[in-house]
Amino acid sequence: MSDDRRTTVPVWTLATADVKAPGLPAGESMTGERLAELRGVLAVMADEPIVTLEAHPLPDRIDRGRGIPLDAASPLAQHLSQFITQSARTSLTAARATASGECLYRMVVPAKVAAQLGQGTVRSMVSKAGAGGVLSPLVGPSGKIAAHASYVPVGRAAAVGTVGGAGATAGAAAAGGTALTVAAPLVLMAVAVGVSAYADQQRRQAIEHITELLEQLQEDKLDDERSALNGCRAAIDKATAILLDQGRLGVSLGLDSAVHTIDTALSKVEIRLGRWRSALDGIPEDAAVELATLTKAFPGIDDQGGAFRVHLELAALAVALKRRVVVLQAVEHAQSDPGNPFENFTRQLKRDQQWLDELELGVAAVLVRLSAVKLARPSGLRPVFTPSEVDRLMNAAHRIHQLGVGVTVDGRPTDVAIEIARDKDGSVTVFPALPA
């Protein structure tokens, strides 16, 4: 069933500092394609990162359990509320779109900023609902929420604030170019919560996979690794809540011990990755290898619940937890210098994210190489093999070739979308960041 109703969606351009930008068609409606072109122009022409913020109608059904809830008193909710109030005073389109108090805000961060946040920070997560689908609360069950939207650029907010600090909201940009709304704290908090929610979603998925695999494998040592990593979640959740309320982290939270556990797990990932690379380097290019030889280097690779696959999920879990910690450290560092929060945030985040990106890309490269390995017939004196042996070899070949499916090895950054559901009471739920 097609929904032909046309929705007017206001779009704001937000800057993280005083910048000059190319002229915008203020008040003129545009299509989604034109809006994407506008983002590209802003990303190329502007001196500082410029993001866009859209206000969509809140869907009737939305899975809030996937996001991070923040009450109306949280800094992000306050920055957003102040911004909406100021915009509604100067724009009839914005006032109408936000009058109910319930909206789904969509902030799109340009790709060059996403690169600063880490190439592997955000990747598409395939939806179980259908092939090629991507998880996103913006597109509802009918897929028509924004299908017929007209996007209308909104002028700057009238009120002038400061660029940094806990009380910073919207402000006027420097004269001499198109005026943009300066909202560094709003952008900082939205990016921080969206990336953190994405990392936690990765953690949940990894835990589910590991639990399923361990039920088949019954390996105590790997179960201990899983338990130790998952035990870090409580400290990270508490630290996230405190920082998002602009509090200070203390030793009593246990974050230091959690970070030690995660770093230990990442060290194991590096060791295993080195062994996997060495084993693959020992296989001549285009040469066939016996399954017994391959399983010696990659135990359980031929089994859906083998140890190798648990090692892969443990690596994903460790990286996801570390990404959340890195975001926390970046937020804390940015808040310590409120004069330039976004610059500090991206600088701090980029340093550690590069290491995590290298680990993830290293594992991805191993999976791609493994998926191309050719299996040889088992050597032996028997000219004929039993049906069970043939079945095992065929199943193993299929599972090994499937290792490369859906693996990303280029790590090229894309625009990142962060969706925020706002309720009438001013509270918000921030959903995992996604490729725009």
Side-chain angles (χ1 to χ4, degrees):
M1 180 176 179
S2 175
D3 183 0
D4 294 325
R5 293 175 298 174
R6 183 172 292 276
T7 303
T8 300
V9 176
V11 180
W12 296 268
T13 47
L14 309 180
T16 57
D18 290 348
V19 295
K20 295 180 181 180
L24 306 179
E28 299 178 12
S29 63
M30 62 176 65
T31 62
E33 290 76 13
R34 285 280 292 115
L35 179 59
E37 292 175 2
L38 171 63
R39 291 193 185 105
V41 171
L42 290 174
V44 172
M45 302 295 291
D47 298 327
E48 295 289 339
I50 295 178
V51 306
T52 58
L53 181 69
E54 310 159 17
H56 294 262
L58 190 66
D60 294 332
R61 289 185 291 168
I62 190 168
D63 183 10
R64 296 178 183 271
R66 294 175 46 247
I68 294 180
L70 300 171
D71 61 34
S74 65
L76 174 57
Q78 288 183 341
H79 290 317
L80 184 58
S81 294
Q82 292 168 7
F83 175 80
I84 294 166
T85 301
Q86 292 167 2
S87 295
R89 292 171 183 165
T90 58
S91 169
L92 182 59
T93 300
R96 288 173 176 171
T98 60
S100 67
E102 292 183 326
C103 276
L104 184 66
Y105 294 90
R106 188 172 193 258
M107 180 180 290
V108 179
V109 182
K112 68 178 182 180
V113 179
Q116 293 177 313
L117 306 182
Q119 293 180 340
T121 299
V122 176
R123 292 196 180 101
S124 298
M125 287 188 172
V126 178
S127 171
K128 295 180 180 179
V134 176
L135 296 175
S136 173
L138 186 58
V139 180
S142 66
K144 296 294 183 181
I145 290 176
H148 302 288
S150 293
Y151 297 89
V152 180
V154 179
R156 68 177 182 178
V160 177
T162 55
V163 176
T169 53
T178 298
L180 301 173
T181 300
V182 179
L186 175 59
V187 176
L188 164 66
M189 298 303 290
V191 171
V193 186
V195 172
S196 184
Y198 174 85
D200 192 56
Q201 188 175 55
Q202 285 187 314
R203 179 199 62 81
R204 289 197 299 267
Q205 289 184 343
I207 282 292
E208 290 175 2
H209 294 159
I210 294 170
T211 300
E212 293 174 2
L213 294 172
L214 286 176
E215 286 177 354
Q216 305 173 48
L217 188 61
Q218 296 181 342
E219 175 62 54
D220 290 340
K221 289 185 178 180
L222 295 180
D223 190 36
D224 290 342
E225 283 190 47
R226 185 270 310 264
S227 299
L229 282 172
N230 201 36
C232 300
R233 177 193 170 190
I236 294 175
D237 285 348
K238 291 175 185 175
T240 302
I242 289 175
L243 271 184
L244 294 182
D245 287 334
Q246 291 191 328
R248 295 292 179 182
L249 299 182
V251 180
S252 61
L253 287 175
L255 189 60
D256 289 346
S257 60
V259 170
H260 174 73
T261 300
I262 296 168
D263 287 344
T264 301
L266 288 173
S267 177
K268 292 181 180 179
V269 173
E270 287 184 311
I271 293 173
R272 287 167 181 160
L273 179 58
R275 290 173 180 168
W276 296 339
R277 284 171 169 164
S278 296
L280 285 171
D281 290 341
I283 299 175
E285 191 174 354
D286 295 330
V289 60
E290 288 189 21
L291 181 59
T293 302
L294 199 61
T295 55
K296 184 177 180 181
F298 303 90
I301 192 174
D302 59 328
D303 189 352
Q304 194 63 36
F308 174 69
R309 297 176 188 271
V310 179
H311 289 157
L312 292 176
E313 296 297 340
L314 285 170
L317 176 58
V319 169
L321 289 170
K322 184 64 175 180
R323 287 201 188 279
R324 286 199 69 185
V325 170
V326 169
V327 172
L328 292 178
Q329 293 169 335
V331 172
E332 184 178 32
H333 188 67
Q335 290 181 351
S336 67
D337 185 4
N340 59 344
F342 197 78
E343 289 79 1
N344 278 339
F345 174 74
T346 54
R347 189 182 307 114
Q348 181 74 12
L349 196 59
K350 182 179 180 180
R351 187 169 55 194
D352 287 334
Q353 293 284 17
Q354 287 177 333
W355 173 48
L356 297 176
D357 292 342
E358 290 172 1
L359 274 181
E360 281 195 319
L361 292 176
V363 172
V366 165
L367 293 179
V368 170
R369 290 177 65 183
L370 276 173
S371 67
V373 169
K374 300 176 183 177
L375 291 183
R377 292 180 55 184
S379 58
L381 299 177
R382 292 181 302 160
V384 179
F385 297 95
T386 65
S388 62
E389 290 174 327
V390 174
D391 288 343
R392 186 196 174 200
L393 187 62
M394 293 182 64
N395 290 334
H398 174 72
R399 287 170 178 160
I400 292 170
H401 292 160
Q402 287 292 108
L403 288 172
V405 175
V407 173
T408 303
V409 294
D410 56 11
R412 289 177 295 181
T414 62
D415 290 355
V416 173
I418 298 156
E419 293 163 3
I420 307 170
R422 184 177 185 268
D423 294 320
K424 290 182 179 179
D425 62 359
S427 62
V428 298
T429 300
V430 185
F431 296 94
L434 293 167

